[in-house]
Amino acid sequence: MIITLIGPPGSGKGTQSSRLTKQLGIPHLSTGELLREAKREGSSRSRAIAERIDAGQLVSDELIFELVDERLSSPMYQAGCLLDGVPRTLSQARMLNDLLRARGTKLDHAVALIAPQEDLVQRLLARALTEGRTDDTPETINRRMQIYDWETAPLLDYYRLHKLLRLVSAEGTPDEVFHRVMSVLQPHCWCATVRG
Ligand code: B4P
């Protein structure tokens, strides 16, 4: 089973991913984490990544798919995975379709986490105090929110049209959101895949 989690910054993609991978028994692939790892390499590629992320901008589609393709080649992803943060644009959605088709598989669900922007900004500002992520400054958060509205939100209509969209409210505690996500996935999941 292949699931993608879509949502604005702070909607809980990373937070829900760690719960979902345990529950569903599928590995997690976060493009944000892949980029933060690549950023630490100290190469010319990492400097380009750092510039984009720290400015709240998206990294190029080509670089994202170089990293995703490389990671999906690992045998641990053969039985499926939970994609977190990709696709973020319509062109990435098409690239993902092509990549999965070439591997003889396809996306099963696009779970979209939705919450009021004011709440999300508060979560990210709170994270800035504890984790000190370079892209969690007020100005960068604002830029990331705009980019979500312009580039990523159109994916909701795209996946609705393809009958893959599962909309979930991301308001409330992480546990409440997790139960909502599971309740939209469960009718579509193989019983054996869902643990617990
Ligand atoms: P990501 O790492 O995906 O960053 P994010 O959108 O902020 O989500 P994240 O998963 O970290 O946070 P979460 O919502 O779980 O991307 C970082 C950057 O990488 C992007 O801005 C972009 O530049 C680049 N990038 C990534 N993918 C890309 C792609 N495909 N194409 C191009 N560029 C790409 O949680 C946020 C905070 O909220 C946490 O502190 C958490 O504890 C808290 N929280 C979560 N759920 C909560 C809840 N229900 N209640 C209270 N707090 C909650």
Side-chain angles (χ1 to χ4, degrees):
M1 179 167 50
I2 302 181
I3 302 172
T4 182
L5 270 189
I6 301 169
S11 56
K13 299 183 295 293
T15 307
Q16 294 305 319
S17 291
S18 58
R19 289 167 162 76
L20 286 166
T21 52
K22 278 188 210 127
Q23 183 73 15
L24 299 171
I26 52 176
H28 178 206
L29 194 164
S30 154
T31 44
E33 277 173 24
L34 284 182
L35 290 169
R36 285 186 285 278
E37 267 172 38
K39 208 177 137 182
R40 289 191 287 270
E41 280 167 5
S43 59
S44 59
R45 177 170 90 166
S46 22
R47 281 189 290 280
I49 292 172
E51 247 170 54
R52 302 292 295 176
I53 291 187
D54 296 349
Q57 303 280 355
L58 294 181
V59 171
S60 74
D61 294 347
E62 290 67 29
L63 179 51
I64 292 294
F65 275 84
E66 189 184 311
L67 294 169
V68 169
D69 196 22
E70 201 177 291
R71 192 53 69 102
L72 284 181
S73 304
S74 154
M76 73 180 274
Y77 292 101
Q78 294 308 304
C81 74
L82 178 67
L83 298 168
D84 159 8
V86 67
R88 258 178 157 92
T89 62
L90 285 170
S91 58
Q92 288 188 13
R94 294 186 195 105
M95 287 170 88
L96 179 66
N97 283 346
D98 293 347
L99 187 147
L100 295 177
R101 195 179 306 119
R103 291 173 180 276
T105 182
K106 62 174 183 44
L107 187 67
D108 297 294
H109 308 283
V111 176
L113 299 173
I114 306 296
Q117 191 163 314
E118 314 80 77
D119 295 2
L120 303 179
V121 171
Q122 289 314 312
R123 287 181 191 177
L124 294 171
L125 292 174
R127 178 168 72 182
L129 296 176
T130 54
E131 292 181 24
R133 247 172 69 168
T134 47
D135 57 344
D136 282 343
T137 63
E139 192 188 317
T140 309
I141 291 170
N142 190 33
R143 181 83 193 139
R144 288 160 64 202
M145 292 293 178
Q146 278 179 344
I147 290 184
Y148 172 82
D149 288 342
W150 295 335
E151 306 266 7
T152 311
L155 287 175
L156 271 53
D157 278 341
Y158 176 86
Y159 283 123
R160 189 176 286 116
L161 203 69
H162 287 80
K163 303 199 184 327
L164 296 177
L165 184 71
R166 322 279 177 239
L167 268 187
V168 174
S169 162
E171 290 182 75
T173 65
D175 281 346
E176 287 168 345
V177 179
F178 173 68
H179 288 300
R180 277 183 220 128
V181 175
M182 283 310 298
S183 69
V184 298
L185 288 179
Q186 236 143 4
H188 306 275
C189 291
W190 297 102
C191 295
T193 318
V194 182
R195 294 179 175 173

